[in-house]
Amino acid sequence: MGIYLNPGNRGFWQAVRSKIYVDKSGLISYTNQLINTEEQFLCVSRPRRFGKSMALKMLAAYYSRGCDSSHLFKGLNIENDPAFREHLNQYDVICLNMQQFFIRAQGQDPTRYLEQAVMEELREEYGELLPERTTVLAEALERIYAKTDKQFIFLIDEWDCVFRLAKERKEVQREYMDFLRGLFKGAEYVDLAYMTGILPIKKYGEHSALNIFQEYSMIDSAGLTSLFGFTQEEVLSLCAKGKVDFQDM
């Protein structure tokens, strides 16, 4: 179990133990269908407090081979999916919180800081396949895939924080977008890429942003509408459970 490569399931474990947990495991059924398809790149844009990070922790717990999460999904909707066991804890997962990297970089290039941190864990797992000169994450993943035929699932939270927290640092923004494009464009080592953020994916500066990603926004969320935040029926149920009047709430 690593921090970024094949993380554990503690985040989701805490979520399912919470009093107001609502089952959103149907998202897993949706993402399972997109693995290794033309629709394998997803970006979910929502305001804060819509459960984006919780959903990402759930996906990490489900896909990561760094843990056994079967007990966490007992009784949840996904357990009835015929493909539930097929994908459970079967993948190399790279899980990144971009806001954490931006804060921890402390004025350094956050993209370079990220690459160094993830490369350290990749070397722990696949060091014999990576020459010392390999410092670029995309190149390392290409080598691993070429030698092992293993692909990766990418889960990225707060993908847009560089544009929100470094509004005036255009060079940092450009390097970050170049990094993401280099990581994903035409990459055969990607099983699935799932990102969350507040801002939409669009054209930034002279760059055609990440046009390989399908955006699931508030106004165009395709099949994910009921899988983020709370529906009215779920709020009514929570109010009844907590003995809170719906109108007062």
Side-chain angles (χ1 to χ4, degrees):
M1 183 177 75
I3 301 172
Y4 314 114
L5 175 64
N6 296 328
N9 54 24
R10 185 173 181 82
F12 186 56
W13 173 76
Q14 290 177 323
V16 296
R17 297 177 70 248
S18 301
K19 291 182 180 179
I20 61 169
Y21 175 73
V22 175
D23 183 359
K24 299 294 179 178
S25 62
L27 175 63
I28 297 171
S29 296
Y30 191 92
T31 55
N32 279 347
Q33 298 175 49
L34 304 185
I35 291 174
N36 270 322
T37 70
E38 293 293 328
E39 295 80 39
Q40 67 188 137
F41 296 93
L42 302 81
C43 182
V44 175
S45 58
R46 293 286 189 283
R48 295 196 180 281
R49 318 316 313 164
F50 266 80
K52 300 187 300 296
S53 295
M54 190 284 291
L56 191 136
K57 291 174 183 176
M58 176 183 70
L59 295 177
Y62 177 73
Y63 287 119
S64 172
R65 66 179 181 87
C67 53
D68 177 2
S69 300
S70 54
H71 61 292
L72 295 180
F73 292 97
K74 283 191 177 298
L76 300 187
N77 293 331
I78 185 60
E79 195 176 29
N80 299 317
D81 190 307
F84 171 63
R85 291 286 173 186
E86 177 187 350
H87 299 282
L88 178 65
N89 300 133
Q90 296 298 309
Y91 295 88
D92 272 332
V93 171
I94 294 178
C95 189
L96 309 173
N97 183 314
M98 297 308 304
Q99 183 163 283
Q100 288 181 356
F101 280 112
F102 187 85
I103 294 171
R104 291 173 183 173
Q106 296 183 340
Q108 304 175 50
D109 179 351
T111 301
R112 176 54 55 189
Y113 182 85
L114 180 160
E115 282 199 286
Q116 291 174 346
V118 179
M119 282 296 299
E120 286 179 8
E121 292 200 0
L122 276 179
R123 288 193 184 281
E124 291 176 7
E125 185 73 19
Y126 294 106
E128 73 280 1
L129 304 178
L130 301 176
E132 280 300 317
R133 65 173 180 78
T134 305
T135 59
V136 176
L137 180 57
E139 180 185 347
L141 295 171
E142 284 178 349
R143 286 183 173 277
I144 293 169
Y145 174 65
K147 298 293 185 181
T148 67
D149 203 34
K150 282 188 176 181
Q151 295 173 291
F152 292 79
I153 286 180
F154 294 82
L155 304 174
I156 301 179
D157 204 9
E158 305 271 10
W159 86 270
D160 56 339
C161 78
V162 171
F163 297 97
R164 292 186 285 106
L165 302 181
K167 295 179 181 178
E168 307 305 321
R169 299 172 66 184
K170 299 301 181 184
E171 183 63 19
V172 170
Q173 294 177 13
R174 185 189 64 77
E175 290 179 0
Y176 176 59
M177 289 302 292
D178 287 344
F179 165 75
L180 290 179
R181 272 198 306 277
L183 188 63
F184 293 130
K185 280 274 191 175
E188 295 183 352
Y189 52 74
V190 179
D191 263 320
L192 179 77
Y194 180 97
M195 303 199 306
T196 73
I198 297 173
L199 299 176
I201 288 183
K202 59 172 184 168
K203 186 172 181 179
Y204 288 93
E206 298 177 356
H207 297 287
S208 174
L210 299 171
N211 56 13
I212 57 174
F213 278 82
Q214 171 67 41
E215 180 136 34
Y216 296 80
S217 66
M218 290 289 287
I219 59 174
D220 186 11
S221 57
L224 302 187
T225 303
S226 64
L227 301 177
F228 285 91
F230 299 137
T231 64
Q232 180 167 305
E233 292 75 17
E234 289 165 348
V235 174
L236 287 167
S237 175
L238 289 171
C239 286
K241 182 179 179 180
K243 298 181 180 180
V244 176
D245 181 81
F246 177 73
Q247 295 301 324
D248 288 345
M249 187 282 301

